[in-house]
Amino acid sequence: MTNRRLNVAFLPQMIEPEDLRGSQVVVTDVLRASTTIVTALDRGATCIVPTAEIADARRLKTELPPPVVLGGERGGVIIAGFDQGNSPLEFTPEIIGGKKLVLCTTNGTVALAHCRSAERVYVGAFVNLSVVADVLQNADHVTIMCSGTNRRVTSEDILFAGALVERLLDLREHWRLGDQATVALGYWMSVMEGMRLGRSLAGELASGAGGRNLLKLGYHADIEFCARIDHVPRVPELDLALWQIRIQD
């Protein structure tokens, strides 16, 4: 029987930080923080400094050597006084290339802060699904951390978790799945069946509470972008000592 463990946490609050010791963690906030992190780094950001608190983000903007872009949202809306919001489409090479990004979001950066005890922490989304699986395939203990929304479970994060579980099972069969990993996998398999019948992944993302909120705010294009599987072949990793996210070497 294998000792290689593959777990999913539907919310950060559903796993104790100490239980992440020795685990390689993938934090996901599909709509939109993790997608934005992957995209901003792909488009030339030198690093991303995640923070959970608005006051900390503003302080870091003044303390870090320039150039620094301040990005973030509350309830999907750009924070007053910030340079950018949390849309991956905002972070063009002209906006972010060669600059640091201080990012403060409602859920994704909070989930990252929950992972300080982990062995390694990566950022995953549909846009970099396969390369994340490649990085993790030889790990002994993997935890996929769903960010949720305001301490509530979100379908899009669980859906990504299921997709990543499937990819890891395809690469290496011998994983011992936790219960939430099994549930996430079943959800992804059912959605894939719908996609074979013509339903789009973007449509599935839009049907959840997070997707409906983005549609209400006019971010339909963001949902379409977040549904682009394997669009960005980059794996961001959080340096736990420096507390900066960079592309994994």
Side-chain angles (χ1 to χ4, degrees):
M1 186 171 180
T2 182
N3 290 319
R4 301 175 70 238
R5 293 178 289 163
L6 177 51
N7 298 322
V8 172
F10 287 168
L11 287 172
Q13 297 78 20
M14 296 179 77
I15 188 168
E16 294 297 326
E18 289 300 308
D19 292 337
L20 297 175
R21 290 196 180 279
S23 180
Q24 298 196 30
V25 178
V26 180
V27 172
T28 190
D29 182 2
V30 172
L31 299 176
R32 298 166 287 172
S34 60
T35 304
T36 294
I37 288 168
V38 175
T39 303
L41 287 167
D42 182 59
R43 292 176 176 171
T46 58
C47 70
I48 296 175
V49 182
T51 179
E53 302 296 334
I54 295 173
D56 289 338
R58 290 191 169 120
R59 174 181 54 79
L60 286 165
K61 169 88 184 262
T62 63
E63 291 180 354
L64 291 170
V68 178
V69 174
L70 188 56
E73 54 73 36
R74 285 295 182 266
V77 178
I78 185 172
I79 299 167
F82 277 40
D83 304 312
Q84 303 293 329
N86 185 36
S87 167
L89 300 180
E90 294 178 27
F91 292 97
T92 63
E94 295 75 20
I95 292 291
I96 200 59
K99 301 171 186 175
K100 303 175 187 70
L101 171 60
V102 175
L103 186 65
C104 179
T105 70
T106 307
N107 306 293
T109 56
V110 175
L112 285 164
H114 196 76
C115 300
R116 293 179 184 272
S117 300
E119 179 180 311
R120 301 184 80 163
V121 179
Y122 303 103
V123 177
F126 282 109
V127 293
N128 68 338
L129 173 62
S130 293
V131 288
V132 171
D134 289 342
V135 166
L136 294 170
Q137 63 178 302
N138 295 317
D140 291 324
H141 182 194
V142 170
T143 302
I144 306 168
M145 174 81 68
C146 301
S147 297
T149 298
N150 295 323
R151 302 174 69 90
R152 292 186 175 90
V153 170
T154 52
S155 59
E156 67 271 7
D157 290 349
I158 298 173
L159 190 60
F160 167 79
L164 184 53
V165 169
E166 186 211 18
R167 296 295 173 98
L168 288 169
L169 289 172
D170 285 345
L171 292 169
R172 296 286 296 272
E173 294 180 358
H174 301 295
W175 291 96
R176 178 158 53 92
L177 302 187
D179 288 351
Q180 291 177 68
T182 301
V183 171
L185 176 62
Y187 178 34
W188 169 245
M189 298 300 284
S190 68
V191 167
M192 277 208 306
E193 183 60 32
M195 290 165 63
R196 292 188 191 101
L197 298 174
R199 183 171 174 82
S200 69
L201 178 57
E204 188 67 31
L205 298 183
S207 68
R212 294 195 302 271
N213 183 58
L214 289 178
L215 289 176
K216 189 185 305 181
L217 295 170
Y219 287 114
H220 180 273
D222 278 19
I223 296 173
E224 293 286 343
F225 184 89
C226 292
R228 294 182 182 180
I229 295 176
D230 293 338
H231 182 64
V232 183
R234 305 278 191 170
V235 182
E237 181 173 1
L238 176 60
D239 185 316
L240 292 163
L242 297 177
W243 204 252
Q244 296 180 352
I245 304 172
R246 300 178 184 272
I247 294 298
Q248 195 247 5
D249 294 329

